[in-house]
């Protein structure tokens, strides 16, 4: 018979009000480079830039912190974008030939982006030629004329239509068809051939009535709209790709499909002109690829700029992605690692100026944005304050460090500046400076660390809206790789022609996959850091302000402990270089620990105050004293049947077959057992219905729990170490506290070690005479063997312990060492709090049983109140495999709020999620973009900016009625995002703190940044395709599993966890 437990009636209104003051969910800003860009635009008056993507996203950028985001209703590719100069309006063309007008709208002093109008041209007429109307098959090119009030639309059929931009309506009677143009062409040029699609439309800077039309066949026409006639005709015979009209209007330059370009004079000779004044193939004489776009910019010195993309020799360099810059006799071939999308120059556009005098060249590539300073000799690249390619090498892990001390911040910035020294000339500055950032300066600094496949760790300024690169740490120089000889040979074989110059930082190729960074941990008070990699390497580094030459000590730790019957079948360990090595200013290695077997490191943590680093792999965990350069502990966690852990990450065929076979067996077993329980289940359902009818309706009933099947002890990879944690707490008895280390595994085991740390190790950097000792104090085995995701110790007041050095340096409130401590163990299925040192269960919350989901990420975070400056609560935030974020009170583990954050199909996004100490988070929405979200009602980082636009809004409002754009700001379509930079009440709040961090409150004393995997930094799984079988099973079996769990009603409470005391 089903048992019912009744709770108190209703909810506490005071608590509900407090929840609203503490918690609120916002998706605020997207950091990084837009995924799959497809179009580019620049407004020279407002100095803002727009990027369109294949998924229909529109992103506008100005000065750092000035960002606007929109998304078209249809997920179609943005093919062209054009700003209406100075008006803050943008016309976009999609690949379905639809036109959309966007505008930057100000509300309460802050601006956001809205779609005002859209226009779908009439469908294509029949192919039988019965229709006399010209075909508007597909719009190929758009040109804004007459200060943006009129747009000329070139089509695939060779016609030019004219559009009234304020209303997005086609103007009747002004269409220019190809037949009308052919009347002005000599008979011998017609030859019965069509002109082809309109490839280019160019306007005259000083005479808006003239339009230059370029047809695919090669014909160029200067058309006078006022007189409706052709002023000049240029009879080109080579297939046209692009045209540029020189500023004065006296010169045209056209690029063609054979890799040549031609210069035409508009004021010489009679019309039609048959021969250009100059025709050249810059990379000939052998066949070349097409020059897809060309620009001509004149200078007062007479040395004009010609900038073009493509044109490379087809046989030798046809696979290169290049933009060539030619000035007088100087030619530079900019060689990029990804496809060129578009480019523009920043130059003078005022009609009264006689020369362009280009200042900068901006090139949009498929994977990055590169800006060159054209006024500095050598044309150096300008460092981007945002839009940096996060995925210059694939991201393999990430971490967030909050409240970085000012001294450490300055040292990191200084090290980064020494890596990228700026030229002596002060002209090298970012040219996209439009708009004003209204957000306040952040009160605290936040660091986002990303580990990459090539062995680098990149440091990013995550304090505000713009994610700014600060410093790059490379670990590859410590090891010998196989690609060094091949690289030297490739460089020696490089010819002097074409004059290639490598530009950009996107490099998707890794020298050695074993270099990949899996885990990072940073101590912000001692500037010490741990970087762990794919081949079992654990590197301890320390920040140094000066370059140095030093040798790095190497120690090996055998995690198998000479256990028989296991043979490592994976990759070999990396070979470290010997002897003193040169290290630049920045983080320099102090010790290298090599795990044996060399499996990927799955967990790492650092305690700089004790001089210890702990690390774990799929075989076990170890403890290393980096002050003495000596191992302290090695513990093997392998199960006797765990053979998969010995095969490495590249041998997964057998394991996949095994897991699929086990899955099918479980499905068949559950179906058979389900049939057996059908009779009992029907009687229980009838009893439940009777109880529901008879019971009072205003009483809250405990929800029904799902039955959780225990996991097999010999499951594959059961020995994987999932989390490691250091704490000063009570482990041996209630009277004496001391250093401890905790380790959680994939099989639900938790090992707690009591540590004997000599006092010298805690107070100085010199090696103590006595060694650190570790003794097993407790061992806990969870009943269902669910993987342990995190471990954290709570003090006598139920607060997490502070980070190393926080209490000793009076940087945080000292923990309560008088009352009894407790340990919070978070597994994939439940959260449980045990008392210390007895390790008896105190309270728990069974998430899988209640919600039908599994825990993926966990962190302790402080939530500050928006109503009271001095009130804050420390809560437990967790992300599930369904993409939902839940927040629980600590130590009571009472559910507070939950939000749908990530799509459950987005496995990589869930695996990459990182929580911060103050209720924010990051996750990857694409390989190159982080989505930032906030769970805190007070701590929100979002764009708060404005634009100085000048156009008659009232007149425009009378002519059309704006309509709201879809409230989505992501390329991957995650719902629930407000487009504009608005607060919860709908109006921007310029007074809200911009920073990621708030000053430490008395109630907000925290343990390390996150208790997810690594303690001092949040780390993620590899999101570059290394998706586990468990993730796939979660995705494929979520619906079936939930139905099965609903049928399997729990009959009794779970038994207490067995505790083994060592």
């Amino acid at each position: 018979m089903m048992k019912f437990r009744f709770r108190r009636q209703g909810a506490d209104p005071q608590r509900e009000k407090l929840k609203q003051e503490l918690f609120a969910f916002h998706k605020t800003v997207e950091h990084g480079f837009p995924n799959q860009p497809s179009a580019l635009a620049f407004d020279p008056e407002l100095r803002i830039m727009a990027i369109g993507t294949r998924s229909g996203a529109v992103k506008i950028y100005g000065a750092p912190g000035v960002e606007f985001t929109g998304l078209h209703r249809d997920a179609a590719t943005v093919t062209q974008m054009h700003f209406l100069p100075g008006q803050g309006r943008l016309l976009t063309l999609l690949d379905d030939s639809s036109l959309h007008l966007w505008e930057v709208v100000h509300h309460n002093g802050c601006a956001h982006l809205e779609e005002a109008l859209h226009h779908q041209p009439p469908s294509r007429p029949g192919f039988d030629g019965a229709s006399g109307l010209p075909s508007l098959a597909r719009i190929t090119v758009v040109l804004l004329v007459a200060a943006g009030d009129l747009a000329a639309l070139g089509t695939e059929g060779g016609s030019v239509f004219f559009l009234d931009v304020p209303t997005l309506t086609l103007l009747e009677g002004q269409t220019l068809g190809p037949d009308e143009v052919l009347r002005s062409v000599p008979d011998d040029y017609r030859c019965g051939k069509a002109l082809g699609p309109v490839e280019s439309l160019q306007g005259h800077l000083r005479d808006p009535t003239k339009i230059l039309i370029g047809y695919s066949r090669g014909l160029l026409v200067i058309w006078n709209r006022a007189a409706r006639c052709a002023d000049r005709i240029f009879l080109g015979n080579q297939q046209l790709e692009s045209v540029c009209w020189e500023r004065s209007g006296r010169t045209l330059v056209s690029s063609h499909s054979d890799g040549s370009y031609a210069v035409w004079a508009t004021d010489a000779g009679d019309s039609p002109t048959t021969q250009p004044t100059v025709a050249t193939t810059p990379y000939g004489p052998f066949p070349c690829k097409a020059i897809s776009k060309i620009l001509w910019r004149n200078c007062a010195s007479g040395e004009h700029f010609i900038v073009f993309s493509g044109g490379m020799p087809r046989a030798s360099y046809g696979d290169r992605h290049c933009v060539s810059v030619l000035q007088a006799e100087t030619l530079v071939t900019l060689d990029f690692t990804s496809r060129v999308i578009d480019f523009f120059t920043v130059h003078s556009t005022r009609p009264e100026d006689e020369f362009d005098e280009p200042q900068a060249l901006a090139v949009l590539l498929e994977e990055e944005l590169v800006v060159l300073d054209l006024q500095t000799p050598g044309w150096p690249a300008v460092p981007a304050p945002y839009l940096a390619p996060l995925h210059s090498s694939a991201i393999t892990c990430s971490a967030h460090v909050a409240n970085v001390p000012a001294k450490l911040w300055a040292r990191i910035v200084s090290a980064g500046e020494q890596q990228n020294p700026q030229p002596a000339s002060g002209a090298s500055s970012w040219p996209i400076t439009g708009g004003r950032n209204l957000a306040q300066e952040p009160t605290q600094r936040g660091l986002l660390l990303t580990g990459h496949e090539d062995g680098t760790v990149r440091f990013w300024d995550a304090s505000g809206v713009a994610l700014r690169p600060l410093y790059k740490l490379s670990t590859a120089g410590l090891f010998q790789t196989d690609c060094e000889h091949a690289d030297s040979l490739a460089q020696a074989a490089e010819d002097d022609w074409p004059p290639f110059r490598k530009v950009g930082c996107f490099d998707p190729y890794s020298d050695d996959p074993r270099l990949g960074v899996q885990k990072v941990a940073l101590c912000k008070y001692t500037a010490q850091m741990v970087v762990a990699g794919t081949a079992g390497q654990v590197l301890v580094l320390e920040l140094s302000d000066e370059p140095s030459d030093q040798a790095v000590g190497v120690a090996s730790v055998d995690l198998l402990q000479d256990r028989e019957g296991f043979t490592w079948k994976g990759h070999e360990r990396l070979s470290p270089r010997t002897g003193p090595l040169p290290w630049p200013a920045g983080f320099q290695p102090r010790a290298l620990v090599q795990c044996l077997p060399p499996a990927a490191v799955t967990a790492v943590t650092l305690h700089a105050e004790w001089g210890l680093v702990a690390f774990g792999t799929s075989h076990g965990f170890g403890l290393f004293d980096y002050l003495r350069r000596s191992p302290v502990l090695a513990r093997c966690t392998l199960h006797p049947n765990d053979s998969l852990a010995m095969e490495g990450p590249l041998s997964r065929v057998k394991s996949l077959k095994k897991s699929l076979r086990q899955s099918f067996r479980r499905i068949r077993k559950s179906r058979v057992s389900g049939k057996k329980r059908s009779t009992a289940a029907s009687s229980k359902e009838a009893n439940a219905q009777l109880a529901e009818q008879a019971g009072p309706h205003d009483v809250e009933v405990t929800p029904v729990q799902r039955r959780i099947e225990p996991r097999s002890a010999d499951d594959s990879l059961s020995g994987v170490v999932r989390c490691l944690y250091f704490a000063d707490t009570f482990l041996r008895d209630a009277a004496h506290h001391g250093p401890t280390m905790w380790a959680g595994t994939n099989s639900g085991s938790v090992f707690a070690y009591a540590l004997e740390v000599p006092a010298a190790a805690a107070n100085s950097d010199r090696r103590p005479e006595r060694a650190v000792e570790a003794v097993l104090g407790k061992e806990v085995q969870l009943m269902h063997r669910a993987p342990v995701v995190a471990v954290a110790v709570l003090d006598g007041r139920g607060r997490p312990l502070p980070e190393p050095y926080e209490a000793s340096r009076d940087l945080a409130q000292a923990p309560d060492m008088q009352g009894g401590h407790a340990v919070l163990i978070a597994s994939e299925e439940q959260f449980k709090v045990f008392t210390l040192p007895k390790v008896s269960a105190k309270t728990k919350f069974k998430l899988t049983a209640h919600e039908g989901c599994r825990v993926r990420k966990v962190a302790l975070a402080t939530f500050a109140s928006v109503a009271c400056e001095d009130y804050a609560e420390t809560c437990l935030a967790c992300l599930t495999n369904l993409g939902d974020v839940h927040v629980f009170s600590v130590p009571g583990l009472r559910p507070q709020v939950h939000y749908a954050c990530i799509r459950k199909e987005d496995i990589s996004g869930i695996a990459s999620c990182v929580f911060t100490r103050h209720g924010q988070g990051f996750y990857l929405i694409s390989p190159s973009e982080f989505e930032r979200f906030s769970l805190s009602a007070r701590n929100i980082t979002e764009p708060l900016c404005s634009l100085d636009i000048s156009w008659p809004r009232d007149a425009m409002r009378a002519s059309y009625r704006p309509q709201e754009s879809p409230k989505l700001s992501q390329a991957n379509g995650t719902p629930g995002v407000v487009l504009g930079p608005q607060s919860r009440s709908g109006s921007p709040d310029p007074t809200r703190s911009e920073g990621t961090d708030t000053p430490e409150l008395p109630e907000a004393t925290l343990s390390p940044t996150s208790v997810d995997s690594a303690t001092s930094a949040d780390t993620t799984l590899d999101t570059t395709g290394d998706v586990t079988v468990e993730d796939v099973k979660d995705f494929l079996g979520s619906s079936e599993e939930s139905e099965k769990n609903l049928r399997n009603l729990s009959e009794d409470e779970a038994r207490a966890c067995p505790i083994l005391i060592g």
Side-chain angles (χ1 to χ4, degrees), residues 345-524:
T345 59
V346 180
H347 61 278
S348 172
T349 56
R350 294 177 298 180
E352 60 269 18
D353 291 342
E354 187 177 355
F355 300 101
D356 294 312
E357 298 293 351
Q359 305 163 15
L361 169 66
V363 184
L364 175 66
L365 307 163
E366 198 166 34
E367 306 293 351
E368 61 183 323
L369 177 76
V370 175
V371 176
L372 300 181
D373 180 12
L374 298 181
Q375 293 183 328
T376 302
W379 304 333
V382 180
Y386 50 83
L387 281 179
L390 302 174
H391 63 317
S392 51
S393 176
I395 296 176
T396 52
C397 68
S398 52
H400 184 271
V401 182
N403 297 339
V404 178
K407 184 177 180 180
L408 174 61
W409 187 272
R411 295 177 67 192
I412 293 175
V413 171
S414 175
E417 291 174 349
Q418 294 182 52
Q419 284 183 334
N420 301 297
Q422 297 300 312
S425 172
S428 179
S429 59
W430 186 249
I432 304 162
T433 57
R436 287 180 293 121
N437 184 10
L438 303 179
Q440 295 180 345
E441 280 294 317
T443 56
Q444 299 288 339
R445 298 291 184 180
L447 271 180
L448 180 65
L449 311 180
T450 54
H452 297 265
E453 195 176 35
D454 61 355
T456 60
V457 178
R458 286 171 166 84
F459 291 62
W460 308 88
D461 178 4
S463 309
V465 171
L467 192 68
R468 182 169 62 98
L470 297 178
Y471 167 73
K472 182 176 77 170
L473 164 67
S474 178
T475 63
L478 184 60
F479 304 100
Q480 299 176 3
T481 57
D482 299 332
C483 300
E484 296 168 0
H485 184 62
D487 290 344
S488 61
L489 289 178
Q491 291 176 0
E494 192 76 69
D495 295 331
D496 293 335
W497 181 261
F500 287 118
R501 173 182 159 193
K502 287 285 186 183
V503 183
C505 61
F506 177 72
D507 183 12
Y509 307 107
S510 173
D511 291 342
D512 193 322
R514 296 174 296 174
L515 291 171
V517 176
Q518 294 297 322
K519 301 292 174 184
V520 292
L522 172 68
C523 176
K524 60 189 179 184

Side-chain angles (χ1 to χ4, degrees), residues 479-480 512 514 534-537 554-557 568 570-576 592-599:
F479 304 100
Q480 299 176 3
D512 193 322
R514 296 174 296 174
T534 305
Q537 69 272 25
V554 181
S556 298
V557 177
W568 172 247
H571 49 246
E572 296 294 327
R573 57 183 286 184
L574 285 165
S575 300
L592 171 64
V593 184
Q594 179 62 56
C595 301
L596 296 177

Side-chain angles (χ1 to χ4, degrees), residues 568 641-648 651-652 654-655 716-717:
W568 172 247
N641 298 333
D642 196 355
S643 61
L644 179 58
M646 306 308 298
E647 296 180 0
S651 304
R652 297 189 173 182
K654 294 181 180 179
S655 63
S716 297
L717 298 177

Side-chain angles (χ1 to χ4, degrees), residues 522-529 605-613 626-627 726 761-765 804-805:
L522 172 68
C523 176
K524 60 189 179 184
Y525 300 112
T526 60
Q528 293 176 342
M529 185 177 183
T605 186
L606 169 70
H607 202 293
E609 197 167 1
W610 300 339
L612 298 176
V613 57
Y626 61 84
L627 295 180
F726 286 118
N763 300 323
S764 69
D765 294 337
Y805 284 110

Side-chain angles (χ1 to χ4, degrees), residues 185-208:
V185 175
D187 294 339
D188 57 346
Y189 187 82
R190 299 179 195 175
C191 301
K193 295 181 181 179
L195 296 178
V198 178
E199 291 289 344
S200 181
L201 292 173
Q202 297 288 321
H204 196 290
L205 185 62
R206 296 186 175 91
D207 189 355

